[in-house]
Amino acid sequence: MSTEQLSALLVDDEPSFRRVLRTSLAASGFAVEEAPSGEDAIAILAQRPFDLVLLDMNMPGVGGVETCREVRSLLPKIGIVMVTVRDAENDMVRALEAGADDYLTKPVRFRELVARLRAVSRRLHAEDTLESLVLRVGDLELDVKRRLLYRDGEFIHLTPTEFHLLALLMRHQGTLVTHAQLLRSIWGPEYGTELDYLRSYVKALRKKIEENPSRPKYLLTEPWVGYRLCDPSQEYSAPLR
């Protein structure tokens, strides 16, 4: 296990919550600083680098979603984990669309939080061993090396997590990839059963690659099993493996 200390900025308007998490994260080896608002967080991040941001979604003033968008724009490769008191799919999708890499709901389970933070860090800071490669499925073209997606020649922005998810599915074009395979390959060995979590990311990705996300032609669901990335011009008959 790496001994490198990870730096995290904790953004929450509740002083007691910040105090408890800062103490616990510091005891787990993180270098932690606090920000009581989105405005303060953006000012701090503009001055010095961090590996991770732990960001409350529901804050007065500049809310968590808008803060997330600004942080992602300012620091495209920083890890962002959002925390919300509501376990609602709409909140999850909003967080993902704003550029979050992960999310948790309150009350936060500390061991899970640490595992998620470390998983995000590993995913974002792993050495890039990808070859210069372009993946094509239908009208989708993914430049793996430069991390650029085009649909019928039009550029489509992807968050880091969306990129990894789409790249994996495109590499397995036409093949069923199970929920557990996707979760563990993209998010790490700590994952495997968070189906609602995976569905939220798939929903966010469909909004970007499908003409009609409610009637997908590329990213197809295999009920209770997983997903399959298909070329709409070809016919796939279940159970194709």
Side-chain angles (χ1 to χ4, degrees):
M1 180 181 295
S2 173
T3 58
E4 179 184 358
Q5 185 178 48
L6 295 174
S7 59
L9 180 63
L10 174 56
V11 188
D12 196 291
D13 63 312
E14 298 180 22
S16 60
F17 182 71
R18 294 200 311 269
R19 183 166 56 250
V20 170
L21 277 191
R22 179 170 188 168
T23 300
S24 299
L25 287 171
S28 295
F30 290 81
V32 185
E33 292 191 34
E34 300 178 27
S37 68
E39 297 93 331
D40 289 322
I42 292 166
I44 292 171
L45 290 166
Q47 296 175 9
R48 53 189 179 277
F50 288 82
D51 298 303
L52 300 158
V53 176
L54 183 60
L55 175 63
D56 183 37
M57 187 170 186
N58 306 296
M59 294 186 296
V62 178
V65 171
E66 183 58 34
T67 300
C68 183
R69 289 196 186 98
E70 294 197 32
V71 171
R72 179 59 69 206
S73 177
L74 180 68
L75 300 165
K77 293 187 178 181
I78 198 170
I80 304 175
V81 176
M82 295 196 71
V83 179
T84 177
V85 295
R86 297 191 299 272
D87 188 9
E89 183 179 4
N90 287 341
D91 281 351
M92 298 172 187
V93 172
R94 288 174 62 214
L96 301 176
E97 289 179 339
D101 296 291
D102 207 337
Y103 58 80
L104 292 166
T105 56
K106 292 181 180 178
V108 174
R109 292 178 292 180
F110 182 71
R111 291 182 63 183
E112 180 182 10
L113 170 62
V114 171
R116 298 273 178 110
L117 289 172
R118 294 196 185 282
V120 167
S121 178
R122 285 198 303 270
R123 189 162 73 246
L124 296 179
H125 295 91
E127 291 184 3
D128 187 2
T129 59
L130 297 174
E131 300 174 353
S132 180
L133 183 66
V134 175
L135 301 172
R136 295 183 178 87
V137 178
D139 290 332
L140 300 178
E141 182 177 292
L142 187 69
D143 186 325
V144 176
K145 191 67 176 179
R146 297 193 296 160
R147 302 193 175 201
L148 299 175
L149 173 67
Y150 296 89
R151 186 182 68 189
D152 197 21
E154 180 181 356
F155 171 72
I156 298 175
H157 172 73
L158 295 177
T159 68
T161 299
E162 290 168 349
F163 165 81
H164 288 294
L165 179 58
L166 182 59
L168 176 61
L169 288 166
M170 290 182 75
R171 287 193 179 95
H172 293 82
Q173 177 184 347
T175 300
L176 173 65
V177 185
T178 68
H179 298 135
Q181 288 172 328
L182 288 169
L183 286 162
R184 290 169 182 159
S185 296
I186 303 299
W187 287 277
E190 299 89 349
Y191 297 76
T193 61
E194 298 85 348
L195 300 189
D196 288 341
Y197 178 85
L198 177 59
R199 291 187 188 108
S200 296
Y201 279 95
V202 168
K203 183 175 182 179
L205 186 56
R206 278 177 172 154
K207 287 185 176 181
K208 296 187 176 183
I209 68 172
E210 302 281 0
E211 291 186 6
N212 184 353
S214 64
R215 298 173 63 88
K217 295 183 179 180
Y218 284 101
L219 214 175
L220 306 183
T221 299
E222 292 285 344
W224 311 111
V225 182
Y227 295 94
R228 190 192 311 274
L229 199 289
C230 297
D231 184 338
S233 67
Q234 301 179 20
E235 292 186 3
Y236 293 90
S237 58
L240 177 67
R241 295 290 184 266

